[in-house]
Amino acid sequence: MSVNIASILDCREVVSSADSIAASVNIPWKDIENGHRSFELPAREDSFSVVFEHSLCKEEIERRADFLLSRSWTVDRWIPDEGEEFESLQNKKNKEIDEVNFNILFRPNPFLMAAIDEIETSCGGGEIKAIDAGCGSGREMLYLTLRGWKVTGIDNRKMCCVRANKLCDIYGAKGSEALVKSVEDEQYFEGIASTADLLLILRFFPKESLQSLLSTLKPGGWLLLEWFRKGAEAFGHPKDPTRLLGEDDVSNLCATFKLQPK
């Protein structure tokens, strides 16, 4: 299945399929303002357009613009849901409707996006499984699920798992689940040994639990690990240099766990 990185936020409260537009994601404004779905918005460096109800008054539009700007999001266009520009977007949808299966606003982890085609090719078709350790709000879990993967998200924060599961429900992404688990739960990982084609460990480094996490990989499976390298402590978090990785550390990890770097 195809997943497109959209550039238009449709913040209308109710959007029918006939009234939707191409390359857009509908997130009602209240869910952005209350923070329930603001994590789905693009990275701060990526600008986007906003479609809104033409009935909104000027003051409300300015208030919403100030809200996004105050949180460092950049909106390049505000488009009312009537008029030539809106109709042009609708016409574009009719031409592209068969070309894209799913739209999302955010960009998944760039290393995952760069490697995804090679990983899927190496798996040779059929059901592909991943473990997303420290899945957070579930953005990578959603991305993989929309591509047809079956993903088990792991996070010790219940609210993150609730949010990740709800995110998949909103997009109709079936077959994946986020579980409230600790990466130190060795018994759980023993029970799912050699089941995953991909192990994702992004934005944290569970050094003491790495062995049990790696046991979940099938022979020839993939590990995608993203963490800070030595020297990052000079720029802020994390401050503890012993928790950072240098080139020798990566080489030692590969040797210890018999990993083949790509």
Side-chain angles (χ1 to χ4, degrees), residues 22-142:
S24 71
V25 175
N26 174 233
I27 306 177
W29 179 258
K30 62 179 175 58
D31 289 332
I32 295 171
E33 196 162 31
N34 63 24
H36 289 172
R37 295 184 63 189
S38 58
F39 68 94
E40 295 178 49
L41 295 183
R44 271 32 180 214
E45 60 268 21
D46 292 336
S47 62
F48 58 97
S49 301
V50 177
V51 169
F52 62 95
E53 295 93 341
H54 68 274
S55 58
L56 291 181
C57 66
K58 179 181 178 181
E59 290 76 13
E60 175 61 16
I61 298 170
E62 291 177 347
R63 190 187 71 80
R64 295 184 180 188
D66 288 343
F67 176 89
L68 293 173
L69 183 60
S70 69
R71 288 154 179 81
S72 301
W73 279 298
T74 302
V75 177
D76 50 24
R77 291 183 301 166
W78 288 82
I79 306 168
D81 63 351
E82 70 171 12
E84 292 184 5
E85 188 169 14
F86 182 74
E87 290 175 4
S88 175
L89 291 173
Q90 285 195 305
N91 291 334
K92 185 178 180 182
K93 181 194 74 170
N94 294 332
K95 295 177 181 178
E96 296 183 356
I97 193 166
D98 294 325
E99 298 178 13
V100 173
N101 294 94
F102 298 101
N103 288 307
I104 56 177
L105 284 166
F106 61 86
R107 293 184 183 277
N109 180 274
F111 299 110
L112 175 60
M113 292 185 70
I116 189 67
D117 290 335
E118 183 179 358
I119 295 173
E120 289 179 343
T121 299
S122 74
C123 291
E127 185 177 70
I128 310 176
K129 296 181 179 181
I131 301 221
D132 186 356
C135 64
S137 297
R139 302 205 307 179
E140 280 72 36
M141 185 172 108
L142 173 67

Side-chain angles (χ1 to χ4, degrees), residues 171-191:
Y171 284 79
K174 306 296 183 182
S176 296
E177 184 181 15
L179 305 175
V180 183
K181 297 282 184 184
S182 168
V183 294
E184 298 174 0
D185 189 344
E186 294 184 8
Q187 185 175 359
Y188 170 74
F189 292 113
E190 287 175 4

